[in-house]
Short mmCIF file of all heavy atoms in Angstrom, two decimals:
data_model
loop_
_atom_site.label_atom_id
_atom_site.label_comp_id
_atom_site.label_asym_id
_atom_site.label_seq_id
_atom_site.Cartn_x
_atom_site.Cartn_y
_atom_site.Cartn_z
N SER B 193 107.76 -61.92 45.59
CA SER B 193 108.50 -63.06 46.14
C SER B 193 108.05 -63.28 47.57
O SER B 193 107.70 -62.33 48.28
CB SER B 193 110.00 -62.81 46.09
OG SER B 193 110.32 -61.74 46.92
N LEU B 194 108.04 -64.52 47.98
CA LEU B 194 107.63 -64.83 49.36
C LEU B 194 108.84 -64.89 50.24
O LEU B 194 109.96 -65.10 49.74
CB LEU B 194 106.90 -66.20 49.38
CG LEU B 194 105.60 -66.23 48.60
CD1 LEU B 194 105.00 -67.66 48.64
CD2 LEU B 194 104.58 -65.25 49.18
N PRO B 195 108.70 -64.66 51.53
CA PRO B 195 109.84 -64.70 52.43
C PRO B 195 110.42 -66.11 52.51
O PRO B 195 109.73 -67.08 52.27
CB PRO B 195 109.28 -64.29 53.77
CG PRO B 195 107.81 -64.59 53.69
CD PRO B 195 107.44 -64.39 52.26
N ALA B 196 111.72 -66.19 52.80
CA ALA B 196 112.33 -67.49 52.98
C ALA B 196 111.90 -68.04 54.35
O ALA B 196 112.10 -67.38 55.34
CB ALA B 196 113.85 -67.35 52.91
N VAL B 197 111.27 -69.21 54.33
CA VAL B 197 110.86 -69.83 55.57
C VAL B 197 111.90 -70.90 55.93
O VAL B 197 112.06 -71.87 55.16
CB VAL B 197 109.50 -70.48 55.43
CG1 VAL B 197 109.07 -71.17 56.72
CG2 VAL B 197 108.46 -69.44 55.02
N PRO B 198 112.61 -70.78 57.04
CA PRO B 198 113.65 -71.75 57.36
C PRO B 198 113.06 -73.18 57.42
O PRO B 198 112.07 -73.42 58.08
CB PRO B 198 114.15 -71.33 58.74
CG PRO B 198 113.81 -69.88 58.83
CD PRO B 198 112.54 -69.69 58.05
N GLY B 199 113.67 -74.08 56.66
CA GLY B 199 113.26 -75.47 56.72
C GLY B 199 112.10 -75.85 55.85
O GLY B 199 111.68 -77.00 55.84
N LEU B 200 111.52 -74.88 55.12
CA LEU B 200 110.37 -75.18 54.26
C LEU B 200 110.56 -74.49 52.90
O LEU B 200 111.11 -73.38 52.84
CB LEU B 200 109.10 -74.70 54.92
CG LEU B 200 107.78 -75.21 54.34
CD1 LEU B 200 107.61 -76.72 54.63
CD2 LEU B 200 106.59 -74.43 54.87
N ASP B 201 110.13 -75.16 51.86
CA ASP B 201 110.19 -74.60 50.54
C ASP B 201 108.81 -73.99 50.23
O ASP B 201 107.82 -74.72 50.16
CB ASP B 201 110.53 -75.77 49.58
CG ASP B 201 110.72 -75.33 48.13
OD1 ASP B 201 110.84 -74.09 47.89
OD2 ASP B 201 110.70 -76.21 47.25
N VAL B 202 108.74 -72.69 50.04
CA VAL B 202 107.47 -72.04 49.72
C VAL B 202 107.63 -71.26 48.44
O VAL B 202 108.65 -70.67 48.13
CB VAL B 202 106.96 -71.09 50.83
CG1 VAL B 202 106.77 -71.85 52.15
CG2 VAL B 202 107.89 -69.91 51.07
N ALA B 203 106.57 -71.29 47.62
CA ALA B 203 106.61 -70.56 46.35
C ALA B 203 105.19 -70.25 45.93
O ALA B 203 104.24 -70.94 46.31
CB ALA B 203 107.33 -71.38 45.28
N ALA B 204 105.04 -69.23 45.11
CA ALA B 204 103.74 -68.88 44.56
C ALA B 204 103.88 -68.48 43.12
O ALA B 204 104.93 -68.00 42.70
CB ALA B 204 103.15 -67.73 45.36
N ARG B 205 102.81 -68.71 42.35
CA ARG B 205 102.80 -68.23 40.96
C ARG B 205 101.41 -67.63 40.74
O ARG B 205 100.42 -68.03 41.31
CB ARG B 205 103.00 -69.41 40.01
CG ARG B 205 104.39 -69.97 39.99
CD ARG B 205 105.46 -68.99 39.49
NE ARG B 205 106.78 -69.59 39.42
CZ ARG B 205 107.61 -69.70 40.43
NH1 ARG B 205 107.26 -69.20 41.61
NH2 ARG B 205 108.79 -70.28 40.29
N PHE B 206 101.40 -66.65 39.82
CA PHE B 206 100.14 -65.95 39.54
C PHE B 206 100.05 -65.63 38.08
O PHE B 206 101.06 -65.23 37.45
CB PHE B 206 100.08 -64.66 40.39
CG PHE B 206 98.88 -63.85 40.10
CD1 PHE B 206 97.63 -64.21 40.56
CD2 PHE B 206 99.00 -62.66 39.34
CE1 PHE B 206 96.51 -63.44 40.28
CE2 PHE B 206 97.88 -61.87 39.06
CZ PHE B 206 96.64 -62.27 39.52
N HIS B 207 98.87 -65.73 37.54
CA HIS B 207 98.67 -65.24 36.18
C HIS B 207 97.40 -64.37 36.18
O HIS B 207 96.35 -64.85 36.62
CB HIS B 207 98.49 -66.42 35.19
CG HIS B 207 98.34 -65.94 33.79
ND1 HIS B 207 99.42 -65.62 33.00
CD2 HIS B 207 97.25 -65.66 33.07
CE1 HIS B 207 98.97 -65.22 31.81
NE2 HIS B 207 97.68 -65.24 31.83
N ALA B 208 97.56 -63.14 35.72
CA ALA B 208 96.42 -62.22 35.75
C ALA B 208 95.45 -62.50 34.60
O ALA B 208 95.88 -62.85 33.51
CB ALA B 208 96.91 -60.79 35.67
N ALA B 209 94.16 -62.31 34.87
CA ALA B 209 93.17 -62.44 33.82
C ALA B 209 93.47 -61.47 32.71
O ALA B 209 93.91 -60.37 32.95
CB ALA B 209 91.79 -62.15 34.41
N GLY B 210 93.22 -61.90 31.47
CA GLY B 210 93.39 -61.03 30.32
C GLY B 210 94.79 -60.56 30.11
O GLY B 210 95.02 -59.56 29.43
N GLY B 211 95.78 -61.22 30.72
CA GLY B 211 97.16 -60.89 30.48
C GLY B 211 97.73 -59.77 31.32
O GLY B 211 98.87 -59.33 31.12
N GLY B 212 96.99 -59.25 32.28
CA GLY B 212 97.55 -58.25 33.20
C GLY B 212 97.04 -56.86 32.92
O GLY B 212 96.21 -56.62 32.03
N GLY B 213 97.55 -55.90 33.71
CA GLY B 213 97.15 -54.51 33.59
C GLY B 213 95.75 -54.22 34.11
O GLY B 213 95.24 -53.11 33.97
N GLN B 214 95.12 -55.22 34.70
CA GLN B 214 93.82 -54.98 35.30
C GLN B 214 93.93 -55.13 36.83
O GLN B 214 94.90 -55.67 37.32
CB GLN B 214 92.81 -56.05 34.80
CG GLN B 214 92.57 -55.98 33.32
CD GLN B 214 91.61 -57.06 32.90
OE1 GLN B 214 90.84 -57.57 33.70
NE2 GLN B 214 91.64 -57.41 31.61
N LEU B 215 92.93 -54.62 37.51
CA LEU B 215 92.94 -54.74 38.97
C LEU B 215 92.55 -56.15 39.33
O LEU B 215 91.64 -56.74 38.76
CB LEU B 215 91.96 -53.75 39.55
CG LEU B 215 92.36 -52.29 39.31
CD1 LEU B 215 91.21 -51.33 39.57
CD2 LEU B 215 93.56 -51.94 40.18
N VAL B 216 93.28 -56.71 40.24
CA VAL B 216 93.12 -58.12 40.56
C VAL B 216 92.23 -58.33 41.75
O VAL B 216 92.07 -57.44 42.59
CB VAL B 216 94.50 -58.81 40.81
CG1 VAL B 216 95.35 -58.72 39.58
CG2 VAL B 216 95.17 -58.17 41.98
N GLY B 217 91.67 -59.51 41.83
CA GLY B 217 90.80 -59.85 42.98
C GLY B 217 91.35 -61.03 43.77
O GLY B 217 90.77 -61.45 44.74
N ASP B 218 92.51 -61.55 43.35
CA ASP B 218 93.13 -62.65 44.09
C ASP B 218 94.19 -62.07 45.04
O ASP B 218 94.71 -61.00 44.77
CB ASP B 218 93.86 -63.61 43.12
CG ASP B 218 92.91 -64.55 42.41
OD1 ASP B 218 91.71 -64.36 42.51
OD2 ASP B 218 93.43 -65.49 41.76
N PHE B 219 94.41 -62.77 46.11
CA PHE B 219 95.52 -62.34 46.97
C PHE B 219 96.11 -63.54 47.70
O PHE B 219 95.42 -64.55 47.90
CB PHE B 219 95.09 -61.28 48.00
CG PHE B 219 93.94 -61.69 48.88
CD1 PHE B 219 94.16 -62.22 50.15
CD2 PHE B 219 92.64 -61.52 48.46
CE1 PHE B 219 93.09 -62.58 50.98
CE2 PHE B 219 91.56 -61.90 49.27
CZ PHE B 219 91.81 -62.43 50.55
N PHE B 220 97.39 -63.47 48.01
CA PHE B 220 98.03 -64.52 48.82
C PHE B 220 99.24 -63.95 49.51
O PHE B 220 99.72 -62.88 49.13
CB PHE B 220 98.42 -65.72 47.97
CG PHE B 220 99.38 -65.42 46.84
CD1 PHE B 220 100.72 -65.12 47.09
CD2 PHE B 220 98.95 -65.44 45.54
CE1 PHE B 220 101.58 -64.83 46.04
CE2 PHE B 220 99.82 -65.16 44.49
CZ PHE B 220 101.14 -64.86 44.75
N ASP B 221 99.73 -64.62 50.51
CA ASP B 221 100.95 -64.19 51.16
C ASP B 221 101.39 -65.26 52.15
O ASP B 221 100.61 -66.16 52.54
CB ASP B 221 100.76 -62.86 51.92
CG ASP B 221 102.06 -62.07 52.03
OD1 ASP B 221 103.11 -62.60 51.66
OD2 ASP B 221 102.01 -60.91 52.45
N VAL B 222 102.64 -65.20 52.53
CA VAL B 222 103.20 -65.99 53.61
C VAL B 222 103.94 -65.00 54.48
O VAL B 222 104.70 -64.16 53.98
CB VAL B 222 104.18 -67.05 53.06
CG1 VAL B 222 104.94 -67.75 54.19
CG2 VAL B 222 103.42 -68.08 52.21
N PHE B 223 103.71 -65.07 55.80
CA PHE B 223 104.32 -64.07 56.68
C PHE B 223 104.48 -64.63 58.07
O PHE B 223 103.73 -65.52 58.51
CB PHE B 223 103.43 -62.79 56.71
CG PHE B 223 101.97 -63.07 56.97
CD1 PHE B 223 101.46 -63.05 58.25
CD2 PHE B 223 101.10 -63.40 55.90
CE1 PHE B 223 100.12 -63.29 58.47
CE2 PHE B 223 99.75 -63.64 56.14
CZ PHE B 223 99.25 -63.61 57.43
N PRO B 224 105.49 -64.15 58.84
CA PRO B 224 105.70 -64.63 60.19
C PRO B 224 104.62 -64.08 61.12
O PRO B 224 104.16 -62.95 60.96
CB PRO B 224 107.06 -64.07 60.58
CG PRO B 224 107.28 -62.91 59.69
CD PRO B 224 106.49 -63.15 58.41
N VAL B 225 104.12 -64.94 62.04
CA VAL B 225 103.10 -64.45 63.01
C VAL B 225 103.62 -64.55 64.43
O VAL B 225 102.86 -64.41 65.39
CB VAL B 225 101.76 -65.20 62.86
CG1 VAL B 225 101.12 -64.87 61.52
CG2 VAL B 225 101.97 -66.72 62.96
N GLY B 226 104.91 -64.78 64.61
CA GLY B 226 105.50 -64.76 65.95
C GLY B 226 105.60 -66.16 66.53
O GLY B 226 104.88 -67.07 66.16
N GLY B 227 106.53 -66.31 67.49
CA GLY B 227 106.69 -67.58 68.16
C GLY B 227 107.16 -68.69 67.26
O GLY B 227 106.86 -69.86 67.50
N GLY B 228 107.86 -68.33 66.17
CA GLY B 228 108.35 -69.36 65.25
C GLY B 228 107.28 -69.90 64.33
O GLY B 228 107.52 -70.81 63.55
N ARG B 229 106.06 -69.32 64.43
CA ARG B 229 104.99 -69.79 63.55
C ARG B 229 104.87 -68.87 62.35
O ARG B 229 105.27 -67.71 62.38
CB ARG B 229 103.66 -69.81 64.32
CG ARG B 229 103.61 -70.88 65.43
CD ARG B 229 102.27 -70.91 66.09
NE ARG B 229 101.76 -69.56 66.30
CZ ARG B 229 100.60 -69.11 65.85
NH1 ARG B 229 99.82 -69.90 65.15
NH2 ARG B 229 100.22 -67.87 66.11
#
Side-chain angles (χ1 to χ4, degrees):
Chain B
S193 65
L194 295 177
V197 178
L200 193 71
D201 182 15
V202 301
R205 290 294 184 275
F206 175 74
H207 183 84
Q214 298 179 22
L215 295 165
V216 298
D218 282 10
F219 56 96
F220 59 72
D221 208 352
V222 172
F223 49 93
V225 292
R229 293 182 318 123

